[in-house]
Amino acid sequence: MKLPRRFFQPLATGAPAPFRELPIKLERMIHFVPPHNEKVRSRVPELAATVDVVLGNLEDAVPIDQKEAARKGFVAMAQATDFASTGTGLWTRINALNSPWILDDLFEIVSQVGDKLDVVMVPKVEGPWDIHYIDQLLAQLEARHGVSKPILVHAILETAEGVANVDAIASASPRMHGMSLGPADLAASRGMKTTRVGGGHPDYRVIADPTSDGAARASAQQDLWHYTIAKMVDACMANGLKAFYGPFGDFSDGEACEAQFRNAFLMGCAGAWTLHPNQVAIAKRVFAPDPAEVAFAVRIVEAMPDGTGAVMLDGKMQDDATWKQAKVIVDLARLVAEKDPDLAKTYGLA
Ligand code: GLV
Ligand code: MG
């Protein structure tokens, strides 16, 4: 174990000091783009104004013969787009640690656009050792190329071993930004019997006991991902990180996507991946608090200005704990309001 007093020291001479607290940013959706596709890339400057995070994907879904083109395309799109003026995050998903591309992914990207890059998403993280490797390498590259702001690391939780080590991954480095559920790889790694990318399964259900009259037994579909999301949220929040739902692969079923995103939001997630333009509007709807909930939360905060004691509002007991619950909602509403003038008015925060 690293000594606590060394935890925040830069890992290379000349690398920037790690953040003590994560920068506060609205990240309702991490929008994936294929950087080897020139047509998609040319639309990134326009796209950047409409999403919270643009992620250039270099890993799965990029064919082997396009890996280099994707990396070069990412550098080109980073250079051609002004992400800072809209506060939009720039992320990349690099290839996995056991692949032949990861070194060039990091070397080329940090050397050419390291100062514009906010977060590196690392797939198939198995344990803290994977984070330590990336952490050291990024520090060396930051130092070598004079990068002034630390590049953060986001792990995809998508192997059984990664889930078993989730707490150690979350606390592995001050460079950690958060984690995303990767339901497709995770399903394969665990031997789950589904070909779906995220979402539920009609056969995963609970059924009521039989009755003596032989009536049809009530049954309800359950959420396959509940356990993993809860585990990921606890590991992240215990370490001051952010948790995200990953991909929802059925682009034709917006209703199911919205239900899955909403469960993740209610459970504590900050956002989700959007792989299709249709999913951006869904994420905007879901990852912002409900206006009625915001109005009630504002009343709680106003009724208990110093956050202590107990009051009754509409017959409901409020105390220090509900004040903290209200703060979570009000703080998020303010963050959303800064970016979305219509919601700011709806929330009464304009
Ligand atoms: C994402 O990478 C997944 O495997 O679901
Ligand atoms: Mg995956």
Side-chain angles (χ1 to χ4, degrees):
M1 264 298 271
K2 196 180 274 263
L3 288 172
R5 81 173 78 90
R6 295 233 180 104
F7 191 67
F8 287 100
Q9 279 176 5
L11 293 182
T13 309
F19 291 121
R20 297 249 158 189
E21 300 284 343
L22 276 188
I24 296 176
K25 283 197 163 186
L26 187 62
E27 291 165 334
R28 295 165 293 183
M29 77 294 295
I30 303 165
H31 190 69
F32 272 53
V33 297
H36 52 296
N37 181 326
E38 207 177 324
K39 202 161 136 217
V40 174
R41 209 168 63 223
S42 69
R43 293 200 218 107
V44 166
E46 205 183 313
L47 170 80
T50 65
V51 297
D52 297 336
V53 172
V54 172
L55 177 144
N57 176 34
L58 311 183
E59 199 224 8
D60 291 357
V62 176
I64 288 184
D65 63 358
Q66 296 291 304
K67 290 287 185 190
E68 269 187 45
R71 189 189 300 137
K72 292 201 175 353
F74 178 76
V75 169
M77 93 187 199
Q79 285 167 338
T81 310
D82 172 14
F83 293 95
S85 65
T86 46
T88 308
L90 174 64
W91 297 24
T92 183
R93 178 168 79 165
I94 57 172
N95 284 288
L97 283 155
N98 61 358
S99 80
W101 305 291
I102 179 191
L103 275 183
D104 288 333
D105 288 347
L106 288 175
F107 281 21
E108 287 185 28
I109 288 171
V110 178
S111 67
Q112 295 181 66
V113 290
D115 263 323
K116 292 189 94 169
L117 184 65
D118 294 300
V119 177
V120 170
M121 181 183 274
V122 185
K124 302 174 179 72
V125 172
E126 305 271 27
W129 50 88
D130 289 339
I131 303 299
H132 295 156
Y133 174 83
I134 293 281
D135 196 9
Q136 184 69 64
L137 193 54
L138 280 175
Q140 291 163 341
L141 291 169
E142 286 167 343
R144 176 158 168 192
H145 299 291
V147 174
S148 54
K149 174 173 71 71
I151 297 166
L152 295 172
V153 167
H154 183 102
I156 312 181
L157 197 58
E158 54 181 352
T159 67
E161 190 176 1
V163 176
N165 290 320
V166 67
D167 294 314
I169 294 168
S171 61
S173 161
R175 209 186 272 282
M176 284 300 292
H177 163 277
M179 274 180 224
S180 291
L181 171 76
D185 270 301
L186 183 55
S189 167
R190 279 180 174 158
M192 291 167 72
K193 311 302 180 293
T194 169
T195 53
R196 299 172 176 218
V197 176
H201 193 289
D203 295 341
Y204 189 74
R205 7 191 1 111
V206 287
I207 186 163
D209 284 354
T211 50
S212 52
D213 61 3
R217 294 159 68 175
S219 120
Q221 194 173 320
Q222 304 289 294
D223 186 352
L224 274 176
W225 304 108
H226 179 81
Y227 153 78
T228 317
I229 292 179
K231 207 169 162 165
M232 174 178 73
V233 167
D234 280 347
C236 285
M237 299 312 274
N239 286 282
L241 315 183
K242 293 166 84 170
F244 292 76
Y245 193 83
F248 188 90
D250 186 350
F251 303 154
S252 68
D253 195 351
E255 200 178 337
C257 175
E258 181 152 347
Q260 187 80 101
F261 283 6
R262 183 158 289 110
N263 284 353
F265 176 66
L266 290 171
M267 289 276 295
C269 288
W273 300 3
T274 50
L275 304 183
H276 187 278
N278 289 348
Q279 295 181 335
V280 172
I282 298 176
K284 281 192 183 164
R285 252 196 320 278
V286 170
F287 291 101
D290 175 62
E293 197 86 80
V294 175
F296 193 63
V298 168
R299 284 178 60 203
I300 297 173
V301 171
E302 284 172 354
M304 299 171 60
D306 66 359
T308 68
V311 295
M312 294 299 288
L313 286 181
D314 303 345
K316 301 183 182 86
M317 186 277 301
Q318 311 299 329
D319 66 2
D320 308 45
T322 60
W323 184 88
K324 288 180 206 149
Q325 289 175 272
K327 267 281 276 152
V328 168
I329 297 198
V330 174
D331 288 351
L332 177 59
R334 286 194 201 289
L335 204 57
V336 176
E338 274 172 31
K339 198 146 181 181
D340 187 328
D342 288 341
L343 263 179
K345 274 197 221 114
T346 314
Y347 289 153
L349 297 172

